Amino acid sequence: MFDVKTLMFFMALSALLMAGVITLADQGRAPQRSLSGLQLWTLSLLVQAAGWFVLVASNSLIPAGFAGPLALGCVSLCWSLRLQALDRCAGRDGMHWRAPVLVGVSVGISLLSPASEWLVGLHSLLYGLLACACARQVRRLPDHGHVTAQSIMALALLLLGGVLIARSAELLLARALWRQVEIWRTVLEQASFLSGYASTIIVTIGLVLLARAGHEEHLQRLAGTDALTGLLNRRSFLSRAGQALRPQTPAAVLMLDLDHFKIINDSFGHPVGDAVLRTVSATLASGLRREDLLARFGGEEFAALLPQTGARTALTIGERLRTAVAAQHAGAELGGRRCTISIGIAAGSGDLPIDVLITEADRALYTAKREGRNRCVLVEVPALVDGEPPQVPEPGKISSQAARLP
């Protein structure tokens, strides 16, 4: 069997090494106002290493009566930081009271349980329960496509919790319920060290993996999102639209354009124009269904894809969006001027290429502009003939008459 102090020293060095690895892996990230989950986990490793070094140095460099409570307080603080780190990784932030409570409980146990068996047994029970709580928190983390890694992390923590609780039971109940078996105690002691070491490595590697996957997903979302409005950008819309179209099912594309937006920018300034774009985007998004796609195509132009939607329903949705924008955007910041949109709608089949539907919706939009703005124009696009794009006649106006701009 291994010497206990050798195991402690080895675990302390390993914790320092893993903290260094996480620090290197987390470099290059944008600075944050508060510590990230990975940074809190790194801090927990440093505190854990300090606790192990204190125990290694007890009797030789640090008096045993002081080293015990200090080391156990460090380990309790380490577990509190781990729970806080997992909360932060899951997007939650709370339970700041855990650190002082756990450290206080640990020091209290140390002072009230001078007997070594009771001291170690109660702390083993406390740490075993905390390990199970961490396993529960791991299961709540976003998996970012790494479900297996997340499951392994949770199992490693549950194994550690089980070993620590078993060790606690042996230390606290052995004399009362059965005769003490020295070999069993030694096995549980070293199993707790080894399972703690293994779980720390597994969870540390898993957190780094999940953090990198989450960061990559975030970058992909940024690459496909319009920075001003938070909607999809043109490239992302075209990519998703091609996947959303289904053969032999109806589909419709709406091209939407703010009327006289240049006048708004020139008269009231670009900050007001940006505010109008953000508010219009929110209005359009709230008026669409969950399965619909909405994007800012550029400037003051938007596009929406309505999968599995026929011409009549598409026109109804278009009119709803038009009236919602006209009703919402009348305020002092525009000098009482109403903000309206013109909408071109192309309704056809999911067999049609997305660029065909967009082209025909654009033609309908230009017709809406020519006929007075603040209106919807619908064109029904025929199906492909021998794989060739259809010949579409000039769009006809199908909308209610709208009030002109003042």
Side-chain angles (χ1 to χ4, degrees), residues 65 109 112 116 128 133 181 196 214 217 258 296 353 374 386 389 398:
I109 292 174
L112 296 176
S116 177
V181 180
E217 287 184 4
L258 284 169
R296 183 185 177 199
N374 190 21
D386 297 328
I398 311 177

Side-chain angles (χ1 to χ4, degrees), residues 37-53:
L38 273 183
Q39 289 170 333
L40 282 171
W41 189 267
T42 303
L43 185 58
S44 78
L45 291 172
L46 295 175
V47 173
Q48 181 189 45
W52 291 131
F53 279 130

Side-chain angles (χ1 to χ4, degrees), residues 129-152:
L129 294 175
L130 289 171
C132 293
C134 284
R136 182 169 175 266
Q137 295 294 81
V138 165
R139 293 300 301 168
R140 294 179 174 181
L141 296 177
D143 58 71
H144 300 297
H146 295 281
V147 180
T148 302
Q150 187 185 43
S151 299
I152 292 174

Side-chain angles (χ1 to χ4, degrees), residues 87-346:
D87 277 342
R88 195 69 58 84
C89 289
R92 296 186 298 272
D93 190 16
M95 303 291 188
H96 297 289
W97 51 264
R98 281 186 300 216
V101 168
L102 289 176
V103 173
V105 169
S106 178
V107 173
I109 292 174
S110 302
L111 296 176
L112 296 176
S113 304
S116 177
E117 290 181 358
W118 279 91
L119 180 64
V120 176
L122 290 174
H123 276 90
S124 295
L125 177 61
L126 175 64
Y127 300 152
L129 294 175
L130 289 171
C132 293
C134 284
R136 182 169 175 266
Q137 295 294 81
V138 165
R139 293 300 301 168
R140 294 179 174 181
L141 296 177
D143 58 71
H144 300 297
H146 295 281
V147 180
T148 302
Q150 187 185 43
S151 299
I152 292 174
M153 293 162 62
L155 287 174
L157 288 167
L158 284 175
L159 175 62
L160 172 61
V163 170
L164 289 173
I165 292 173
R167 187 186 182 198
S168 170
E170 194 277 330
L171 288 167
L172 298 177
L173 305 176
R175 290 184 177 179
L177 301 180
W178 61 80
R179 189 175 62 183
Q180 177 180 330
V181 180
E182 188 64 32
I183 186 64
W184 175 243
R185 174 166 295 187
T186 304
V187 168
L188 282 176
E189 180 182 62
Q190 299 201 0
S192 65
F193 282 113
L194 293 175
S195 58
Y197 174 68
S199 65
T200 301
I201 292 178
I202 290 172
V203 177
T204 299
I205 294 174
L207 285 179
V208 172
L209 180 65
L210 293 179
R212 290 182 66 87
H215 185 61
E216 290 174 0
E217 287 184 4
H218 177 66
L219 292 178
Q220 289 177 357
R221 283 195 300 271
L222 289 180
T225 303
D226 176 64
L228 177 65
T229 63
L231 301 179
L232 298 176
N233 59 24
R234 184 187 188 111
R235 182 176 64 85
S236 183
F237 175 83
L238 293 175
S239 174
R240 296 193 186 189
Q243 301 171 2
L245 292 175
R246 295 288 180 267
Q248 300 179 351
T249 61
V253 166
L254 279 62
M255 297 299 296
L256 312 96
D257 190 84
L258 284 169
D259 297 327
H260 300 295
F261 184 70
K262 186 177 185 303
I263 296 177
I264 294 175
N265 267 339
D266 293 343
S267 302
F268 305 101
H270 289 282
V272 172
D274 289 346
V276 169
L277 287 173
R278 284 192 292 266
T279 310
V280 167
S281 300
T283 302
L284 296 177
S286 65
L288 293 175
R289 305 163 301 183
R290 179 175 299 180
E291 63 271 21
D292 299 332
L293 298 179
L294 177 64
R296 183 185 177 199
F297 240 45
E300 67 272 24
E301 190 174 35
F302 301 86
L305 171 67
L306 314 181
Q308 301 183 28
T309 304
R312 185 178 296 275
T313 303
L315 181 60
T316 300
I317 293 174
E319 282 291 324
R320 185 171 69 223
L321 296 177
R322 183 188 66 79
T323 55
V325 170
Q328 184 166 347
H329 295 284
E333 65 178 5
L334 296 182
R337 189 183 191 89
R338 290 193 305 123
C339 182
T340 62
I341 56 172
S342 300
I343 303 176
I345 306 171

Side-chain angles (χ1 to χ4, degrees), residues 380-401:
E380 297 190 52
V381 186
L384 293 174
V385 179
D386 297 328
E388 294 296 324
Q391 297 296 320
V392 184
E394 184 70 17
K397 180 166 69 68
I398 311 177
S399 78
S400 57
Q401 293 296 325

